[in-house]
Amino acid sequence: MAAPLRIQSDWAQALRKDEGEAWLSCHPPGKPSLYGSLTCQGIGLDGIPEVTASEGFIVNEISKKSIHISCPKESASSKFLAPYTTFSRIHTKSITCLDISSGGGLGVSSSTDGTMKIWQASNGELRRVLEGHVFDVNCCRFFPSGLVVLSGGMDAQLKIWSAEDASCVVTFKGHKGGILDTAIVDRGRNVVSGSRDGTARLWDCGRSACLGVLADCGSSINGVAVGAADNSINLGSPEQMPSEREVGTEAKMLLLAREDKKLQCLGLQSRQPVFLFIGSDAFNCCTFLSGFLLLAGTQDGNIYQLDVRSPGAPVQVIHRSGAPVLSLLSFRDGFIASQGSHMGEADLHMLSRWSCTTLPAF
């Protein structure tokens, strides 16, 4: 297992000043951590800082937007990317959820400051404030149209909002605990929610009605994901004829990341089990990579890659630190993951630091 390197989150700003410094560290598994620093020796004519590393570390390459560091003793290296832009005035406290519209023009985010806001993705300009939930908003996402937002809160309510005028057009009630995550089925006539009450529910957006309880786990459902299933996967058959109000649920899998260390997969339309996998700690999040590959992240920092066709043993387990894995997103040939701190705190009140990992081909 490679030793992960870490760097001060605002390194790009710190190293653009003469004699500016930023800390870095290397954390080899089972060995003491190594600590060092980076120092700016000046800014070149091309605008790129000249940076040296303390003993034990090497600066391999640096540009205006990235720095490549290595720790030869542990054969470890990482390339760190600076943010292209930072929006620090949207929220005053930690961000709990964030999504970008399909066209890339708008962002929506919720925060522990009690707000949920829509903003211009190009410059962070505030467009709308979505008010109506009681207590914190745990999750928010755009519908595929980019004109409507779905949110879930600690008030056990699921809400649909207009991104154009901030009006709440639909409120779903039925959960008995806070809603922790949601998923949108196809174009959005149906949506799925997961809750602290241990249930996952399917909702009809047109009639503001619950179409059924998809799973009752007896344990908090921290994350949900919906994905199209490969033809080789047996999703089972529904015991009852599906409602005509179910749209796009056929040939889909539902993945549930549970607090009781279990990752559960079932047929979205059939409600029949596909597999149940037990991990090392509570599962916080999950996502599909393809019709048979998936990822799930745990509280103790593990990222499991599983093949639905043979889920008994993971394809691989990625562990960069013991910090909780908070979110996962499929990206090109790999994925993007965000992690909290060892103390369980969120990463500032802007955007989390992301790492991108490339997966082996299958």
Side-chain angles (χ1 to χ4, degrees):
M1 186 184 300
L5 288 171
R6 298 178 196 159
I7 195 170
Q8 185 172 312
S9 61
D10 62 345
W11 64 267
Q13 285 180 296
L15 297 178
R16 291 199 64 81
K17 305 171 186 175
D18 281 339
E19 299 184 355
E21 290 190 346
W23 61 261
L24 72 160
S25 58
C26 180
H27 302 266
K31 299 180 183 179
S33 297
L34 305 174
Y35 297 93
S37 63
L38 300 171
T39 303
C40 176
Q41 305 294 345
I43 306 297
L45 295 177
D46 54 5
I48 297 175
E50 298 174 4
V51 177
T52 57
S54 60
E55 185 178 355
F57 296 91
I58 295 175
V59 178
N60 299 307
E61 184 182 6
I62 186 169
S63 69
K64 291 181 179 180
K65 288 296 181 181
S66 67
I67 188 168
H68 186 199
I69 307 291
S70 63
C71 178
K73 181 180 179 181
E74 298 298 335
S75 301
S77 68
S78 289
K79 185 176 183 179
F80 298 95
L81 304 180
Y84 284 95
T85 187
T86 299
F87 306 137
S88 57
R89 298 183 179 180
I90 297 175
H91 295 289
T92 59
K93 293 184 179 180
S94 298
I95 293 171
T96 55
C97 192
L98 180 149
D99 193 27
I100 302 295
S101 64
S102 55
L106 295 176
V108 62
S109 53
S110 57
S111 169
T112 55
D113 63 13
T115 65
M116 177 168 54
K117 299 178 179 181
I118 295 175
W119 35 273
Q120 200 72 33
S122 59
N123 57 17
E125 179 183 349
L126 184 64
R127 295 289 298 273
R128 299 284 183 269
V129 178
L130 307 180
E131 297 178 317
H133 278 288
V134 182
F135 310 122
D136 285 348
V137 180
N138 293 324
C139 48
C140 55
R141 68 175 70 242
F142 282 101
F143 278 75
S145 67
L147 302 175
V148 185
V149 171
L150 176 67
S151 66
M154 287 302 294
D155 56 5
Q157 296 183 34
L158 198 65
K159 290 179 178 288
I160 296 177
W161 310 79
S162 166
E164 297 180 312
D165 62 10
S167 61
C168 178
V169 294
V170 173
T171 296
F172 301 107
K173 296 181 179 180
H175 280 294
K176 294 179 173 60
I179 295 170
L180 300 179
D181 199 13
T182 62
I184 295 172
V185 182
D186 280 354
R187 301 301 299 173
R189 290 180 63 178
N190 294 161
V191 297
V192 175
S193 59
S195 169
R196 286 183 183 274
D197 65 13
T199 66
R201 294 173 180 256
L202 182 69
W203 304 87
D204 176 1
C205 295
R207 292 185 177 174
S208 309
C210 180
L211 292 174
V213 176
L214 301 172
D216 191 346
C217 306
S219 175
S220 178
I221 299 174
N222 297 324
V224 301
V226 171
D230 185 82
N231 292 334
S232 63
I233 298 171
N234 180 13
L235 298 179
S237 300
E239 296 179 354
Q240 300 177 348
M241 181 69 68
S243 166
E244 62 180 14
R245 301 295 298 181
E246 283 195 30
V247 181
T249 58
E250 65 277 3
K252 297 286 197 313
M253 296 178 286
L254 174 64
L255 195 59
L256 306 177
R258 294 167 38 171
E259 183 70 19
D260 61 359
K261 304 183 182 182
K262 295 177 181 177
L263 184 68
Q264 180 178 357
C265 184
L266 61 153
L268 181 57
Q269 185 181 79
S270 69
R271 283 43 159 189
Q272 298 300 315
V274 176
F275 73 80
L276 186 67
F277 178 82
I278 300 177
S280 58
D281 204 344
F283 280 100
N284 291 330
C285 52
C286 53
T287 190
F288 285 100
L289 295 172
S290 69
F292 56 86
L293 288 176
L294 61 90
L295 294 172
T298 62
Q299 184 68 17
D300 60 358
N302 284 327
I303 298 175
Y304 289 89
Q305 184 186 6
L306 296 176
D307 188 327
V308 180
R309 299 167 300 183
S310 54
V315 175
Q316 63 173 326
V317 180
I318 301 168
H319 186 92
R320 291 185 61 86
S321 80
V325 181
L326 301 178
S327 60
L328 293 164
L329 178 68
S330 175
F331 181 72
R332 296 179 182 172
D333 294 328
F335 66 93
I336 296 172
S338 71
Q339 289 184 266
S341 73
H342 288 282
M343 299 301 292
E345 298 173 349
D347 211 358
L348 297 179
H349 48 266
M350 294 176 280
L351 296 183
S352 294
R353 183 153 40 97
W354 301 88
S355 61
C356 184
T357 301
T358 300
L359 297 172
F362 289 87

